[in-house]
Amino acid sequence: MHTLSLHALSKISIVISSFFALSLAKSQCEICQDIVGDFNKGLQKTLKSNFGGGNTNWEENSLGKWKTSETRLVEIVEHHICTDNEKKCHMFYENHEESIEDWYFNVYKNEDSADSLKEHLCIQTSKACCPQGQYGKDCTDCPTSGGGICSSHGKCSGDGTRSGSGKCECDSGYSGELCEDCAEEYYEQLTGSIKVCLKCDVSCEDTCSGAGPKACDDCAEGYVWEDNSGCQDVDECDGEDNPCESNSATYCVNSAGSYTCEACSPLCSSCIGSKSTDCKDCIPGYEKTDSNETTSSCQDIDECSLKPELCDRVPGAICVNTEGSFDCKCKEENQRIEDGQCIDIVETAEETSTDSENEKHKETIENSNSEKDEL
């Protein structure tokens, strides 16, 4: 048997760690989009702020409009951009700080939102992202069919970024290179000129030609074909071959295409349902309340009334009924059963001393309570 050295294991660990680090690392496009989102939040947070001097008219005449003031920009950058202190975010902002300021002072003043910042910063200036509908380092157009990207039934890998393969990743129910076909277990339906793929009936096995159980090409497991109604559920619980009979204290519940074995009430050894009155047979120590009925509830059997002699084997003992069973106890309270007979309980010196101390403690508490009552 071959074993890996500690050095080899260490190298494997480093490779795995590097792989996960790369998979979690954000792309330049994602970082840029985060900054745009943070900047927009900062604009919203500072929308109703001002210079803080109290004389808004003088401040705007002397310092300029608050909307595109340097004071507001500093507040946004310091309190809203890269707040998670991610190194790559700070580096990206520093590399493109002039571009952001150019947009803020020259473009934003004529707009009401930061919607154009993504176009300005992420696509035109930094070239970290592509316009929607394009992918890859050269911003190649995503594949289209039927007037939409991936037939309007999927997304283009890398859409809007400088990465990705441009291949279509189809929505559920669609397949094909351009998501133009229906996947297995789906059928095609035209809504006007638009083709949509809808899921086959649950009773169908893989393929179908349309909606409902009659359109199934084959029936799924747990269903059977009927000429007038198509694939219909098989009730596994109906009939002599009950699949839950081998499972102790359970009953069968049919479901679409299958069944489950559910637990009986605790006092039932067999049953037809979950209620306490659904017992067909009772667990040992209990009997049906109505033996003439197929099902009923279960009640405790009083073994001592039925067989008073149960404890005769122990001289001086009596039979005491318990839930689901019985017990033999000595008639005299100061006796216990030992070696098949009732014997006197003899207290040891330690037990006697403990009892005496308990009595003294009890008496002290009673006296104390009595004094409180008098007060």
Side-chain angles (χ1 to χ4, degrees), residues 202-203 220-223 232-234 236 253-260:
V202 67
S203 63
E221 185 177 355
Y223 293 86
Q232 297 299 306
D233 173 51
V234 174
E236 294 86 354
V253 177
N254 186 57
S255 59
S258 187
Y259 68 92
T260 56

Side-chain angles (χ1 to χ4, degrees), residues 14 134 173 242:
I14 292 171
Q134 297 179 352
N242 189 329

Side-chain angles (χ1 to χ4, degrees), residues 332-375:
E332 301 297 330
E333 291 184 359
N334 63 338
Q335 290 187 327
R336 65 169 179 255
I337 296 176
E338 189 175 304
D339 296 330
Q341 59 183 338
C342 287
I343 63 172
D344 292 337
I345 299 173
V346 179
E347 293 183 345
T348 64
E350 184 179 346
E351 289 173 336
T352 304
S353 174
T354 302
D355 290 343
S356 177
E357 289 296 326
N358 288 339
E359 286 297 322
K360 287 181 181 180
H361 182 63
K362 181 179 179 182
E363 184 178 344
T364 301
I365 293 174
E366 289 176 348
N367 290 339
S368 176
N369 290 337
S370 176
E371 290 174 2
K372 289 180 180 179
D373 292 340
E374 290 177 2
L375 291 174

Side-chain angles (χ1 to χ4, degrees), residues 15-51:
V15 170
I16 293 173
S17 299
S18 300
F19 171 78
F20 281 110
L22 287 171
S23 64
L24 294 174
K26 289 184 177 181
S27 67
Q28 289 291 292
C29 183
E30 289 174 317
I31 293 172
C32 187
Q33 289 174 332
D34 286 346
I35 289 175
V36 170
D38 291 342
F39 202 97
N40 205 12
K41 289 178 183 177
L43 288 172
Q44 296 301 316
K45 291 284 187 181
T46 59
L47 184 63
K48 296 183 179 180
S49 301
N50 52 50
F51 292 101

Side-chain angles (χ1 to χ4, degrees), residues 153 174 179-182 188-191 193-197:
H153 297 308
Y174 295 86
C179 306
E180 71 277 19
D181 300 320
C182 290
E188 181 181 318
Q189 179 172 294
L190 286 175
T191 304
S193 59
I194 301 173
K195 183 182 79 172
V196 293
C197 295

Side-chain angles (χ1 to χ4, degrees), residues 167-270:
K167 291 183 178 180
C168 289
E169 299 169 354
C170 301
D171 297 336
S172 178
Y174 295 86
S175 64
E177 187 176 342
L178 297 176
C179 306
E180 71 277 19
D181 300 320
C182 290
E184 196 172 74
E185 298 184 359
Y186 287 78
Y187 66 94
E188 181 181 318
Q189 179 172 294
L190 286 175
T191 304
S193 59
I194 301 173
K195 183 182 79 172
V196 293
C197 295
L198 303 176
K199 193 166 180 59
C200 295
D201 192 82
V202 67
S203 63
C204 299
E205 177 72 25
D206 296 335
T207 59
C208 64
S209 58
K214 295 181 72 173
C216 298
D217 293 332
D218 292 294
C219 294
E221 185 177 355
Y223 293 86
V224 64
W225 180 265
E226 294 183 5
D227 291 336
N228 294 328
S229 51
C231 294
Q232 297 299 306
D233 173 51
V234 174
D235 188 350
E236 294 86 354
C237 303
D238 185 25
E240 297 180 359
D241 298 328
N242 189 329
C244 295
E245 282 185 346
S246 59
N247 294 333
S248 164
T250 62
Y251 65 97
C252 186
V253 177
N254 186 57
S255 59
S258 187
Y259 68 92
T260 56
C261 295
E262 303 290 341
C264 296
S265 176
L267 299 184
C268 306
S269 61
S270 64

